[in-house]
Amino acid sequence: MAKSELQRIERLRDLLRTYQYEYYILDSPSVSDAEFDVLFRELQALETEHPEYLSDDSPTMRVGGFIAERFEKTQHPMPMLSLGNAFGSEDLWAWRERVKRLLSEEQQAELAYVIEPKFDGLTVVLHYADGRFSLGATRGDGEVGENISANLRTVNSIPLRIPHAQKANPDANLEGSEAPSRLIVRGEAYVDKADFETFNQKQADQEGRTYANPRNFAAGSLRQLDSSISAGRPLKTWVYQILILEGATTEPTSHWESLAYLKSLGMPVCDEIAQFTDEDFEQMVEYIEDLGAKRDKLPYEIDGIVVKVDSLAMQDELGFTGKDPRWAVAYKFAGEEAITKLLEIVINVGRTGAVTPNAVLEPVQVSGVTVQNATLHNEDYIKELDIRIGDQVVVTRAGEVIPKVVRPVTELRDGSEIVWEMPPACPNCSQPLNRPEGEVATYCINNACPARLVRLVEYFVSRGAMDIEGFGFKQAELFVEEGFIKDLADIYYLPWDEILALEGYKEKRVENLRLGVEASKEQPPSRLLTGLGIRFVGSTVAETIMDHYVSVGDLMEATVEELAELEAIGPKIAQSVVEFFALAPNRELLEKFGAAGVRLKGDPKPAPSEHSLQPFAEKTFVITGTLPSMSRSDAKAFIEAHGGKVTGSVSAKTDYLLAGEKAGSKLTKAEGLGVAVVSEDELNGLVESALSADLES
Ligand code: IVH
């Protein structure tokens, strides 16, 4: 008997999946809600009767019920990068120029773009193993996210199985794709504007918690420890990027094809997408501006339009700068504006000593958020716009986190407004402020300025740097004020018994803080380097530098020329690092870290084994055309693994051109210059003969 019940269970699941697909993805249900409910309840009853048949990907799992104590961490298969911004069409044209400069003529001739909305939600990473949803994670710090699978399972537009619905239903409109063995996609979780309003209204009526905007609502709903709460929230998703695809029946070669493929699997892919050739760039820019004008009509919030180079091979070649891909850019819309009164201008000292004038405002709503502080950038900004204390000012969030004052409404002046001047001395340490010639920024020149030190300590202990749990702005401020911290290394010499005597610092809390500080000593030195707050040295640059130098001691002796040779390190960064370590107090600071037991040396790189020969050492390669078995990035990795270098264009300095089918102008150029041209087979041959020569000798 049980067998036929299992069959019924499976039949019901198939049907319900199909109905959910029709309802949530196609937006065209073929059965009534009542019919759906009857089948759903039948399935629930059967599953209760036969718990042995329960399955993670059953449609009944969407109601949630799993209660987590906390979210487990999960490593992403690759860093979750962000996007560079373009404000206005000029920035778009400039981006296009940069892209084209890095591509060959043949590539330029085939250049195309895809545009899609920039959804104002939260990144989610969805994993499928053999067609089943196996893991869903938040973005986290980009490297490691949180496992929120139980909550994402309740999001109806996320298929628990791919293809989402069964071929059995001819109306399902699936192309009959087979499930790939492994698929990881990136997408955005969000809440529709109308659903957000309804929820907030209901909460307000019941005096419950309301949210500032749909994005915050989506964030709060995703991070519920009780998944049945998430299940009750109107969360949705769009997917827009394949991160990993293995064992698929088709391999997309462009972004456009990737989206079509995801759609064929029943994934939620947004329809507001368009493809343009490079020739039609002007039309594309117009199209984007039109979309911006009608964005209020979309059911969900978007804060811009993303433009992506379509070809995946070109994306690969264009690569990244820091954390942003060169192959994509986010065109940001001008943000909503509001008018309010400027009550006061205060100045804040940052960790570099730069002082920023900030506006204290009468609280006002901008794009769903209450704003009462906004940046005024610098002295010149205030002078040029003639912003006065007491003015009515226009405030915007312009897609950025920090709101800004855009201009004063001079028509509303009554004569009582006061012209502001930069004070001559730092309000925190009373030392003179200085504005270097030719710079817009004003600095507190006192290295020991407590306000500056507080900001530096806050940065040092933050998640992107030494990541000390329980340590934040409040602790930084308190410990500097108490005189416990006079320089960064003092964090490792804190007088714990004196801290125990401070209000609010009970034994348990102090012990946890002490353990956090202790644990951070083991952080890789790239994090220490980040935390020092050297100009232009953020976490990505610090990692690149420490990958090369391994020990901070070695880095301290580096020259500008050496540093500038590293990939993605320009002369400006190199200069800044060398200047930092040239100062005696900074060198002493590092000694003090070392004496406290902070790690100054990374893990040594594995020594090259006898057989990791470098047959391509000092050889420069260029790759062109389609290779028979390797992708270009595979070929690049192969060459680099054997000691060679790969560059983008053929010159007299090129040693080999690795050419595949449809090689174009690069081949002609190489032949003209007498550069050796090799095929993929010959490339392998070069390595093999080098290896066997080594064995014989
Ligand atoms: S692509 C490597 N496409 O915007 C490129 N991102 O500032 C990865 N976002 O954190 C991003 N809509 O969460 C891409 N159509 C879209 C997007 C999108 C929204 C978000 C994403 C990311 C942020 C980047």
Side-chain angles (χ1 to χ4, degrees):
M1 273 308 97
K3 175 116 193 297
S4 72
E5 281 174 330
L6 177 58
Q7 277 170 353
R8 180 66 187 160
I9 287 177
E10 280 175 353
R11 173 83 190 119
L12 285 168
R13 286 180 184 162
D14 281 352
L15 271 174
L16 290 168
R17 269 189 204 110
T18 303
Y19 296 152
Q20 286 187 325
Y21 170 72
E22 290 169 347
Y23 189 93
Y24 293 107
I25 307 274
L26 301 181
D27 209 4
S28 75
S30 66
V31 294
S32 69
D33 289 2
E35 269 173 274
F36 182 92
D37 285 345
V38 169
L39 298 176
F40 192 87
R41 276 198 297 270
E42 183 188 344
L43 176 59
Q44 269 181 325
L46 281 170
E47 285 178 348
T48 317
E49 217 173 292
H50 295 282
E52 69 274 23
Y53 297 144
L54 272 178
S55 165
D56 262 2
D57 60 4
S58 170
T60 55
M61 291 294 152
R62 301 230 188 250
V63 295
F66 179 75
I67 302 180
E69 265 178 42
R70 61 193 170 85
F71 298 115
E72 300 293 328
K73 303 259 187 244
T74 166
Q75 174 90 35
H76 295 308
M78 56 187 66
M80 291 300 110
L81 300 148
S82 48
L83 291 168
N85 291 327
F87 297 98
S89 59
E90 260 170 45
D91 284 359
L92 282 180
W93 287 98
W95 172 75
R96 172 186 186 241
E97 279 314 300
R98 285 197 300 277
V99 164
K100 291 183 79 167
R101 250 203 314 266
L102 292 163
L103 296 176
S104 68
E105 267 165 44
E106 305 115 274
Q107 287 173 323
Q108 289 185 28
E110 285 169 22
L111 184 56
Y113 311 90
V114 173
I115 63 161
E116 58 198 27
K118 185 169 186 304
F119 311 108
D120 195 9
L122 300 116
T123 290
V124 287
V125 182
L126 310 174
H127 297 230
Y128 290 86
D130 294 322
R132 295 162 65 116
F133 176 71
S134 56
L135 175 77
T138 62
R139 178 178 185 280
D141 65 2
E143 304 274 344
V144 175
E146 285 177 323
N147 179 339
I148 52 163
S149 307
N151 295 346
L152 289 173
R153 254 195 199 100
T154 71
V155 177
N156 286 307
S157 58
I158 297 179
L160 298 180
R161 265 207 197 181
I162 45 172
H164 190 156
Q166 298 302 300
K167 278 179 268 173
N169 181 351
D171 300 329
N173 206 9
L174 297 181
E175 288 158 21
S177 303
E178 299 293 325
S181 55
R182 186 161 175 243
L183 173 70
I184 307 181
V185 294
R186 178 172 179 171
E188 203 80 356
Y190 69 97
V191 171
D192 274 340
K193 293 186 265 194
D195 289 336
F196 161 72
E197 295 297 342
T198 312
F199 177 88
N200 256 4
Q201 193 53 56
K202 215 158 99 196
Q203 289 292 99
D205 292 347
Q206 299 166 358
E207 290 179 19
R209 163 171 192 181
T210 57
Y211 287 89
N213 53 45
R215 187 176 185 281
N216 287 3
F217 179 42
S221 304
L222 272 186
R223 292 187 43 89
Q224 294 290 334
L225 290 170
D226 177 352
S227 63
S228 58
I229 299 184
S230 300
R233 302 288 175 84
L235 285 163
K236 295 188 172 177
T237 43
W238 293 122
V239 297
Y240 53 74
Q241 196 185 12
I242 297 180
L243 300 172
I244 304 270
L245 176 63
E246 286 165 14
T249 44
T250 51
E251 279 271 335
T253 62
S254 68
H255 182 60
W256 189 254
E257 284 173 20
S258 301
L259 295 177
Y261 174 68
L262 290 173
K263 200 167 176 173
S264 80
L265 293 175
M267 293 268 189
V269 177
C270 178
D271 282 327
E272 298 291 332
I273 53 176
Q275 196 185 27
F276 291 89
T277 63
D278 184 53
E279 273 178 13
D280 291 337
F281 200 83
E282 191 161 355
Q283 280 94 304
M284 183 183 91
V285 174
E286 271 170 31
Y287 186 94
I288 289 175
E289 283 166 350
D290 289 348
L291 254 183
K294 65 165 208 196
R295 75 167 154 144
D296 288 343
K297 301 209 173 65
L298 290 174
Y300 43 85
E301 289 208 328
I302 68 174
D303 60 343
I305 299 287
V306 187
V307 185
K308 297 176 179 174
V309 168
D310 193 21
S311 150
L312 299 183
M314 289 187 215
Q315 288 189 0
D316 224 30
E317 198 152 319
L318 288 164
F320 299 86
T321 54
K323 288 200 159 81
D324 302 331
R326 289 200 188 86
W327 47 265
V329 68
Y331 175 91
K332 290 294 193 70
F333 302 129
E336 197 185 292
E337 294 181 340
I339 293 181
T340 189
K341 186 170 176 180
L342 173 59
L343 301 174
E344 202 188 329
I345 297 178
V346 293
I347 66 173
N348 273 337
V349 185
R351 65 181 161 86
T352 59
V355 299
T356 321
N358 282 314
V360 180
L361 304 165
E362 211 155 75
V364 64
Q365 287 277 314
V366 189
S367 315
V369 172
T370 308
V371 170
Q372 40 191 334
N373 293 292
T375 179
L376 287 159
H377 301 290
N378 53 53
E379 189 178 7
D380 289 356
Y381 187 81
I382 299 173
K383 291 238 159 78
E384 275 157 26
L385 292 171
D386 185 22
I387 296 170
R388 303 182 190 177
I389 297 169
D391 264 338
Q392 292 289 326
V393 291
V394 177
V395 182
T396 165
R397 290 209 304 143
E400 280 143 303
V401 189
I402 305 170
K404 69 181 209 178
V405 172
V406 186
R407 61 174 178 276
V409 188
T410 47
E411 298 80 7
L412 295 177
R413 281 189 182 152
D414 62 13
S416 68
E417 297 75 17
I418 300 163
V419 175
W420 178 81
E421 295 283 345
M422 180 67 89
C426 172
N428 295 285
C429 67
S430 311
Q431 295 295 310
L433 292 177
N434 170 46
R435 181 169 167 187
E437 278 256 0
E439 279 201 40
V440 285
T442 304
Y443 293 87
C444 169
I445 50 171
N446 176 11
N447 272 329
C449 170
R452 180 174 168 183
L453 185 57
V454 169
R455 289 291 172 195
L456 188 56
V457 171
E458 179 192 21
Y459 177 73
F460 184 87
V461 299
S462 70
R463 199 158 76 159
M466 294 300 262
D467 193 13
I468 305 183
E469 212 165 312
F471 210 136
F473 177 78
K474 284 231 170 73
Q475 287 69 32
E477 196 179 31
L478 179 65
F479 298 161
V480 169
E481 206 177 271
E482 293 288 333
F484 300 157
I485 296 183
K486 297 206 174 61
D487 64 41
L488 281 180
D490 281 338
I491 294 172
Y492 296 98
Y493 297 87
L494 283 168
W496 297 108
D497 16 331
E498 286 180 53
I499 293 174
L500 265 174
L502 299 176
E503 207 188 303
Y505 284 80
K506 297 222 177 73
E507 216 157 296
K508 180 101 195 282
R509 179 159 184 215
V510 173
E511 184 56 11
N512 283 340
L513 195 56
R514 193 186 66 79
L515 289 175
V517 169
E518 204 53 35
S520 75
K521 291 182 181 172
E522 285 306 312
Q523 290 284 18
S526 60
R527 285 181 169 262
L528 176 67
L529 181 61
T530 306
L532 295 175
I534 302 173
R535 248 182 132 189
F536 311 125
V537 183
S539 58
T540 313
V541 167
E543 272 167 31
T544 309
I545 292 179
M546 291 318 298
D547 271 353
H548 182 81
Y549 286 95
V550 185
S551 121
V552 177
D554 289 347
L555 171 63
M556 280 163 71
E557 308 312 323
T559 64
V560 174
E561 292 71 29
E562 271 166 33
L563 274 160
E565 261 179 36
L566 300 183
E567 177 130 25
I569 308 288
K572 223 168 56 175
I573 304 178
Q575 184 75 33
S576 167
V577 173
V578 170
E579 273 172 14
F580 181 89
F581 288 116
L583 294 178
N586 291 338
R587 299 176 78 92
E588 282 156 20
L589 184 69
L590 281 151
E591 261 169 44
K592 194 165 160 185
F593 277 124
V598 177
R599 229 172 112 190
L600 301 180
K601 216 168 159 18
D603 292 322
K605 286 182 207 146
S609 81
E610 249 177 85
H611 289 291
S612 83
L613 255 196
Q614 304 271 294
F616 297 154
E618 325 240 310
K619 299 284 185 237
T620 304
F621 287 75
V622 173
I623 311 174
T624 186
T626 314
L627 302 172
S629 83
M630 290 193 234
S631 73
R632 288 209 203 181
S633 51
D634 290 344
K636 183 165 182 273
F638 179 80
I639 292 168
E640 287 170 352
H642 291 96
K645 225 172 88 182
V646 177
T647 63
S649 58
V650 176
S651 73
K653 289 196 204 128
T654 311
D655 294 293
Y656 294 101
L657 178 75
L658 170 60
E661 246 180 79
K662 292 206 203 127
S665 65
K666 282 185 188 165
L667 181 57
T668 327
K669 190 161 176 200
E671 284 166 349
L673 288 167
V675 170
V677 178
V678 292
S679 68
E680 185 185 310
D681 273 351
E682 285 164 331
L683 183 79
N684 284 313
L686 284 174
V687 173
E688 274 157 29
S689 56
L691 286 176
S692 50
D694 179 60
L695 287 178
E696 279 158 26
S697 67

